[in-house]
Amino acid sequence: MRPSPFGSSKVPVAVLGATGAVGQAFVRLLAVHPWFELAEVAASERSAGRSYAEATRWIGDDEIPPRVAQLTVLPCDPRSVRSPIVFSALDSGVAGEAEAAFAKAGRAVLSNAKNYRMEPDVPLVIAEVNPDHLDVLEAQRKNRDWPGAIVTNGNCAAIAAVLPLAPLQQRFGIRNVFVATMQAVSGAGYPGVASLDILGNVIPFIRDEEPKVEAEVRKFLGHRDGDRITDASLGISAHTNRVPVEHGHMVLMSVQLQKKADLAEVIQTLSQWRGAEEACGLPSSPDRPLVLADAVDRPQPRRDVDAGRGMTVTVGRVREDPLFDVKLVALGHNIIRGAAGASVLNAELMAATGRIELP
C-alpha cells in the first residue's frame, strides 16, 4: 500500500447522512482507515444532538465502532461540520443544496447522490477507469465560484457494468450495449423493499434506474474535452429488476464492439486488465478490480459479492453473442463498490494525486 500523502497524521473526515444504510457503510470503512480519521457524523435535524449509537438503527451483525458510537450527530451544515473532506450519503431530496453549501465552504465533497452526477463539470469517477476526469475540477471551481469541489461516484448498477466495459472500450471500442440487471434489495436503502413484495418475486421496475444506468455508462466511458466531460458515443439499452438478494447487483450484458475480436482476445483483455496506474495501491484498492470466474455458473451473489473486500467486480459466462459480439455476466457489491467504497477510493485517489488541499 502507498504511504499516506498526509504523512504520519490522519486527516479528519465527516459523513453526511451517517445513520442510513450507505452512511453506515461509510462508517465501517472509515473507522479503520489508515489515511482518514472519522471525526464527525451528521444527519437530519431529528437525529442531531443525539449520540450516533442513539440515533442509528445499526444494520448488520457487527457492532458500531465504539469510538464512533459516542460521537454526537451534527446537523448537515458546514458551520457545524468542520472536516475538510466530506462523504455524502444524503438522499437526493436534500443532497443538492447541502453538498453545494459544503463546496462553497471549501470542502472536498465525495458524493453518493445523483444530483450532480451528470453535470459536465462534475467528475463522475471510477478510480480505475477515468481518473483523468478529475481534471475538470479547476473548471468546476471557476464555473461555480466555490473553492471546494464535488466529485461523484455512480449508480451501483452502472459501476458494476462499467468495470468490465472499460477494458473492452479501451481496446476494441464499443458500438452498442444491451444491459439487464438483477439488483439486490439493499440497493433500495433501509428498510428496502416490503417483504411481501419481494419474497419469491422479481419486480421489473426500479424508479429512475434505467435512464441513470444508460446515461452514467456513457459519461463514465466518455472523455475529458477541455473544461467538461463529453459522453461516449455508444448506444445502450437497460432493463433493471429488483430481486430477493440482500447484497450484490448482477448485470447481464451483450456488447457490440467497434473493432471485431475473437472470444479469446476478449477474455484475455478482461483477465489482464488492472485499471489506471494512479488507482493501484491505494488503501481501498482491491488487488484486482476485475476478476474472471472459472466456473460455468458464476458469479453468484452468495459466493462472490465480497471479493476484494467488496471492491472487486466478478465477471463470468463470457461467450459469443449471436446478435452482437460478446455477452457476459458481472457482479458487484452495491453498497461497497457501488456506493461507500467507491467514494472512499475516489477520495484516496484525489489525495494521492494532490487534488485535496488542506487548510
Side-chain angles (χ1 to χ4, degrees):
M1 185 176 69
R2 296 188 205 178
S4 171
F6 308 116
S8 59
S9 299
K10 291 187 178 183
V11 172
V13 302
V15 175
L16 311 182
T19 59
V22 174
Q24 292 179 33
F26 275 120
V27 167
R28 288 184 177 92
L29 295 173
L30 294 168
V32 294
H33 199 279
W35 294 3
F36 305 138
E37 180 76 24
L38 180 54
E40 298 169 308
V41 290
S44 65
E45 291 183 3
R46 66 178 178 274
S47 297
R50 304 165 68 189
S51 73
Y52 184 70
E54 293 172 334
T56 305
R57 178 168 181 169
W58 192 250
I59 306 166
D61 298 329
D62 59 342
E63 299 292 332
I64 300 176
R67 184 184 62 80
V68 182
Q70 299 173 14
L71 292 176
T72 299
V73 178
L74 303 171
C76 294
D77 188 314
R79 293 170 296 184
S80 300
V81 177
R82 307 302 299 174
S83 297
I85 301 173
V86 176
F87 296 94
S88 174
L90 293 171
D91 181 84
S92 60
V94 296
E97 184 177 343
E99 291 173 1
F102 278 92
K104 289 174 183 175
R107 319 300 170 76
V109 180
L110 286 300
S111 173
N112 188 67
K114 69 179 182 180
N115 302 66
Y116 292 98
R117 287 176 187 165
M118 299 311 299
E119 296 292 324
D121 62 351
V122 175
L124 176 68
V125 176
I126 297 174
E128 297 93 342
V129 173
N130 58 340
D132 63 305
H133 287 196
L134 291 170
D135 290 341
V136 302
L137 286 176
E138 184 177 347
Q140 180 192 121
R141 295 184 177 104
K142 181 179 179 181
N143 293 343
R144 298 170 186 270
D145 192 26
W146 60 39
I150 295 177
V151 174
T152 62
N153 59 274
N155 170 276
C156 38
I159 291 174
V162 166
L163 277 161
L165 288 176
L168 300 181
Q169 169 81 332
Q170 291 164 10
R171 182 169 179 186
F172 309 112
I174 295 174
R175 292 188 189 279
N176 292 294
V177 184
F178 173 84
V179 180
T181 71
M182 294 182 282
Q183 298 183 216
V185 292
S186 59
Y190 188 85
V193 182
S195 61
L196 292 181
D197 288 335
I198 195 64
L199 289 176
N201 196 22
V202 173
I203 301 173
F205 174 72
I206 306 173
R207 186 174 302 279
D208 299 329
E209 195 79 353
E210 291 169 357
K212 281 195 289 187
V213 170
E214 293 167 354
E216 291 178 25
V217 167
R218 291 191 189 98
K219 186 173 181 181
F220 274 129
L221 297 178
H223 65 280
R224 184 173 59 85
D225 184 8
D227 291 344
R228 58 184 290 125
I229 304 300
T230 298
D231 293 352
S233 57
L234 58 85
I236 179 168
S237 176
H239 293 256
T240 59
N241 307 273
R242 190 74 71 191
V243 298
V245 169
E246 183 179 9
H247 299 307
H249 286 357
M250 187 170 284
V251 182
L252 297 79
M253 294 187 286
S254 289
V255 184
Q256 184 181 36
L257 304 172
Q258 290 183 355
K259 176 185 175 183
K260 293 299 180 183
D262 60 37
L263 189 60
E265 289 179 293
V266 170
I267 291 173
Q268 180 189 51
T269 299
L270 293 170
S271 63
Q272 292 181 350
W273 189 74
R274 298 294 183 273
E277 185 177 350
E278 303 98 304
C280 296
L282 299 172
S284 299
S285 300
D287 291 337
R288 301 273 298 275
L290 198 67
V291 168
L292 263 65
D294 293 328
V296 296
D297 60 350
R298 303 281 281 276
Q300 298 176 17
R302 183 180 296 175
R303 293 173 171 83
D304 300 303
V305 74
D306 292 318
R309 295 166 294 145
M311 290 294 286
T312 292
V313 168
T314 303
V315 175
R317 302 209 67 214
V318 183
R319 58 215 192 274
E320 293 181 356
D321 188 294
L323 295 179
F324 286 172
D325 294 302
V326 63
K327 52 187 173 181
L328 54 84
V329 180
L331 174 74
H333 197 304
N334 51 294
I335 300 296
I336 302 177
R337 172 54 91 165
S343 281
V344 173
L345 183 56
N346 285 345
E348 294 166 0
L349 175 66
M350 292 176 68
T353 56
R355 291 182 169 97
I356 292 180
E357 296 183 6
L358 300 180

